[in-house]
Amino acid sequence: DAMVIQNPRYQVTQFGKPVTLSCSQTLNHNVMYWYQQKSSQAPKLLFHYYDKDFNNEADTPDNFQSRRPNTSFCFLDIRSPGLGDAAMYLCATSSATGGVGYTFGSGTRLTVV
Amino acid sequence: QKEVEQNSGPLSVPEGAIASLNCTYSDRGSQSFFWYRQYSGKSPELIMSIYSNGDKEDGRFTAQLNKASQYVSLLIRDSQPSDSATYLCAPRRDNYGQNFVFGPGTRLSVLP
């Protein structure tokens, strides 16, 4: 089945140690998104790619970076994780045409120790 | 004013009752509206979308949209305990990339 896959499901990293979260999709969607969701809060958009065009949200900290080497893969890099970066990180995709919503991956739960 | 507002809940309804979830939005340019259901610890899943004023029904779910009032709602008929989740309202900001701004979500609890 076509889907969005995030790895790993759970990630524990040390304070200040760079960490990379990955997302892959078999839907061939143009657009890929990264959201951060903290407990009992709405998902917050960090950035998105429209094909190769990178779009950063104005309030996304510089500590967060992203790469999209091809249509299928997108990575979230956290250069120096702080305790406040502990959250669920959600990858989502959508087609640039049509009125459908997002397809979400299952998320990566990041713990910073 | 927040872009998307929802009552955080919890909204508690007995099994079999109608659950009514409300959402208001500030961006008059919003053209389409989506409801996502999110179980605890899981990612959101799309359950309804609506684009035109009025009602749209899909099984036990009915979405209602009033663009003049900047209001969208989700009704769940014959509520089941499995409907207990957080429901996120997401107006679509623009056509490019279909960016969504999620509301804070309403936590629904259906009591057996």
Side-chain angles (χ1 to χ4, degrees), chain A residues 31 33 35 37 42-43 48 50 53 55 57 88 90 94-102 104-106 109, chain B residues 32 34 36 38 41-46 49 51 88 92-93 95-105:
Chain A
V31 196
Y33 308 80
Y35 281 85
Q37 188 175 28
H48 75 276
Y50 187 116
D53 293 334
N55 298 271
E57 292 298 299
M88 173 80 88
L90 297 164
S94 71
S95 172
T97 60
V100 299
Y102 290 170
F104 279 93
S106 54
R109 171 75 63 186
Chain B
S32 51
F34 299 80
Y36 288 83
Q38 187 174 26
K42 304 294 185 182
S43 59
E45 57 179 320
L46 179 66
S49 59
Y51 309 100
L88 301 166
R92 194 176 73 182
R93 197 189 293 170
N95 289 322
Y96 174 82
Q98 298 191 44
N99 287 351
F100 293 100
V101 177
F102 285 96

Side-chain angles (χ1 to χ4, degrees), chain B residues 43-112:
Chain B
S43 59
E45 57 179 320
L46 179 66
I47 54 171
M48 284 287 289
S49 59
I50 186 166
Y51 309 100
S52 304
N53 283 328
D55 295 358
K56 179 182 176 183
E57 187 174 319
D58 183 0
R60 295 187 296 113
F61 299 97
T62 298
Q64 300 174 317
L65 175 61
N66 184 326
K67 291 185 179 180
S69 299
Q70 296 174 252
Y71 173 87
V72 60
S73 67
L74 179 70
L75 301 178
I76 307 174
R77 289 182 301 280
D78 188 23
S79 296
Q80 302 296 310
S82 59
D83 295 325
S84 298
T86 297
Y87 289 80
L88 301 166
C89 171
R92 194 176 73 182
R93 197 189 293 170
D94 53 36
N95 289 322
Y96 174 82
Q98 298 191 44
N99 287 351
F100 293 100
V101 177
F102 285 96
T106 297
R107 188 157 58 92
L108 172 67
S109 178
V110 180
L111 307 174

Side-chain angles (χ1 to χ4, degrees), chain A:
Chain A
D1 288 343
M3 55 197 330
V4 180
I5 300 170
Q6 289 188 245
N7 284 306
R9 285 296 309 276
Y10 301 93
Q11 175 74 56
V12 180
T13 190
Q14 292 180 337
F15 182 93
K17 184 176 181 180
V19 64
T20 295
L21 310 181
S22 72
C23 177
S24 64
Q25 56 131 339
T26 59
L27 298 160
N28 204 32
H29 280 169
N30 302 84
V31 196
M32 295 187 76
Y33 308 80
W34 280 105
Y35 281 85
Q36 178 194 63
Q37 188 175 28
K38 297 185 177 180
S39 182
S40 301
Q41 296 183 19
K44 178 181 179 297
L45 181 63
L46 296 174
F47 25 59
H48 75 276
Y49 276 94
Y50 187 116
D51 293 325
K52 292 185 177 181
D53 293 334
F54 177 70
N55 298 271
N56 200 29
E57 292 298 299
D59 56 354
T60 298
D62 292 340
N63 197 26
F64 291 86
Q65 305 286 320
S66 185
R67 296 170 284 136
R68 188 179 186 185
N70 53 53
T71 300
S72 301
F73 285 88
C74 195
F75 299 97
L76 170 62
D77 301 309
I78 308 176
R79 294 192 296 187
S80 182
L83 297 178
D85 297 327
M88 173 80 88
Y89 289 88
L90 297 164
C91 175
T93 72
S94 71
S95 172
T97 60
V100 299
Y102 290 170
T103 301
F104 279 93
S106 54
T108 294
R109 171 75 63 186
L110 178 68
T111 300
V112 182
V113 298

